Amino acid sequence: MNKHQIIKNELNKLNNSKANAEIEANTRLLRARELPAFCEADNAYRKLMLEIAKLPPEDKKHATLNKKLASLKKARLDVLKKLGISASALEPKYSCKKCNDTGYVGNTMCDCLKIKVQKALIKQSGLNNKLNFDFSKCDEKILAESPLLAKAYRFAHKYCDNFPNNKEPNLVFYGEVGTGKTFLLECIANELINKLYYVVFTTAYDISKTMIKAFNSPYSERDTILSPLFESDLLIIDDLGTEPLYHESALTNLFTLINERQRNNQALIISTNLSPQQIDERYGNRIKSRLFNQRITVTIPFKSRDLRLK
């Protein structure tokens, strides 16, 4: 499911909620109309509304009839009150009063829909259990002790601010275990998901499993399985080098994924514990040359003591 499908899906859910709220309100109205006193007041109100609607906009009767309509509306509400029925009971109970469950305020996406889309993006991103990490959680003391790490965090902020218009859309973080690579990846992912970009956060091991699953599935199902990897605004692959290389097809699949995203100018961020030389030895020059293509990629070394131990 791509980002546009996610937005459409969440908008459909919201519109269904809107329709249900209006159906329930109409049901309550029909029950109230079973009471003669209210039915009479409601009929007079509706009849005048229809009469006003038929008038041309320039007709001078509008002012007089609108005053009368306001009077009938008050009378209608007074009848409800006497019958012990709340006026709000006849109004649809929308989940969002700002947009009345339409998802938009004018041409702008409402916050309620943004939040729903964010949650859906997070669910699909693989970040469900990793949302504790964002830029606000960065330990300033640790950054102060490591100028190289502080520079990487500043660069990541700038990368998010400029996304998706970074001159070099791809990043490679490499260095020893526990030096802050995954933490920073999650900060970037969280920041961009909050901006409603479609981010997929996964591991090299899961990429390998997904590729195998896709190519062992019926052809008609492959696009659905692979679409998050190929269609996301940003693909983040953590721990490249920890996945098993079962056979030559694993290298071919990885090359295809990297190559296609670069060919379509889609952002890719990779973290690895391997050095560039070890990447070459493990994956070959074809993959290494694409990962470290300086025209479209920024490589950032991570060198410090194990931050997890600290």
Side-chain angles (χ1 to χ4, degrees):
M1 186 182 296
N2 61 36
K3 181 175 69 173
H4 299 294
Q5 289 170 330
I6 287 173
I7 292 174
K8 183 178 179 180
N9 189 43
E10 294 304 319
L11 187 58
N12 285 340
K13 290 180 185 177
L14 200 56
N15 288 338
N16 287 337
S17 174
K18 178 179 186 294
N20 288 335
E22 291 171 353
I23 289 170
E24 290 171 4
N26 191 56
T27 300
R28 293 191 294 271
L29 175 62
L30 292 176
R31 287 174 183 166
R33 282 180 58 82
E34 292 174 359
L35 304 171
F38 176 75
C39 186
E40 182 179 350
D42 192 47
N43 283 343
Y45 178 72
R46 289 171 178 238
K47 183 179 178 181
L48 185 56
M49 280 187 68
L50 185 60
E51 185 179 339
I52 293 173
K54 290 179 179 179
L55 290 176
E58 66 277 5
D59 198 306
K60 295 180 180 179
K61 292 181 182 178
H62 274 287
T64 303
L65 292 181
N66 281 329
K67 286 182 180 179
K68 187 177 179 181
L69 184 67
S71 178
L72 284 176
K73 183 177 181 180
K74 183 178 182 305
R76 179 175 175 267
L77 295 178
D78 287 342
V79 171
L80 277 179
K81 189 174 181 180
K82 289 177 182 178
L83 294 171
I85 301 172
S86 168
S88 63
L90 303 187
E91 298 296 328
K93 299 187 184 302
Y94 299 117
S95 60
C96 177
K97 295 179 180 178
K98 190 174 179 180
C99 71
N100 289 341
D101 290 353
T102 63
Y104 287 85
V105 180
N107 295 321
T108 304
M109 185 183 289
C110 184
D111 289 341
C112 71
L113 180 57
K114 283 183 181 179
I115 291 170
K116 293 178 185 296
V117 171
Q118 282 173 356
K119 288 180 179 178
L121 290 174
I122 289 167
K123 184 176 181 180
Q124 189 154 315
S125 74
L127 276 171
N128 275 337
N129 299 319
K130 301 178 180 180
L131 286 179
N132 288 328
F133 303 122
D134 57 49
F135 287 115
S136 68
K137 303 295 191 304
C138 297
D139 191 323
E140 295 296 334
K141 291 181 180 178
I142 291 178
L143 294 182
E145 293 174 6
S146 174
L148 193 64
L149 190 59
K151 185 177 180 180
Y153 274 67
R154 288 195 300 271
F155 180 86
H157 262 296
K158 185 177 178 181
Y159 179 88
C160 291
D161 290 341
N162 293 337
F163 194 88
N165 299 314
N166 291 290
K167 183 179 178 182
E168 295 95 358
N170 302 332
L171 307 178
V172 175
F173 297 166
Y174 69 94
E176 295 297 324
V177 173
T179 50
K181 298 185 300 296
T182 299
F183 185 97
L184 187 53
L185 290 183
E186 293 169 10
C187 290
I188 293 171
N190 202 16
E191 181 79 7
L192 293 179
I193 285 173
N194 285 335
K195 293 182 177 182
L196 292 187
Y197 289 107
Y198 180 18
V199 179
V200 171
F201 187 106
T202 188
T203 63
Y205 180 79
D206 285 337
I207 289 277
S208 180
K209 287 199 304 181
T210 301
M211 288 289 197
I212 292 171
K213 178 183 176 182
F215 288 102
N216 287 332
S217 299
Y219 189 80
S220 59
E221 297 177 11
R222 289 183 185 179
D223 283 349
T224 301
I225 296 170
L226 295 174
S227 65
L229 303 181
F230 287 93
E231 296 181 13
S232 53
D233 296 324
L234 171 63
L235 174 63
I236 297 176
I237 305 176
D238 196 19
D239 281 338
L240 185 72
T242 59
E243 78 285 3
L245 295 180
Y246 297 110
H247 39 65
E248 185 65 26
S249 63
L251 291 175
T252 301
N253 294 339
L254 181 61
F255 173 82
T256 300
L257 175 60
I258 295 170
N259 191 58
E260 281 300 300
R261 289 194 67 89
Q262 291 188 358
R263 191 170 67 85
N264 294 319
N265 199 33
Q266 294 167 298
L268 173 68
I269 303 180
I270 287 176
S271 80
T272 180
N273 299 332
L274 304 178
S275 67
Q277 182 179 345
Q278 290 170 322
I279 292 282
D280 191 3
E281 293 169 356
R282 179 178 173 85
Y283 297 103
N285 188 59
R286 282 205 314 165
I287 289 177
K288 180 197 171 186
S289 67
R290 278 161 178 76
L291 287 182
F292 294 93
N293 181 349
Q294 294 183 11
R295 184 175 57 84
I296 57 173
T297 304
V298 175
T299 58
I300 301 177
F302 281 69
K303 299 176 183 178
S304 72
R305 288 178 293 164
D306 192 326
L307 300 179
R308 293 170 186 158
L309 297 179
K310 293 181 69 176

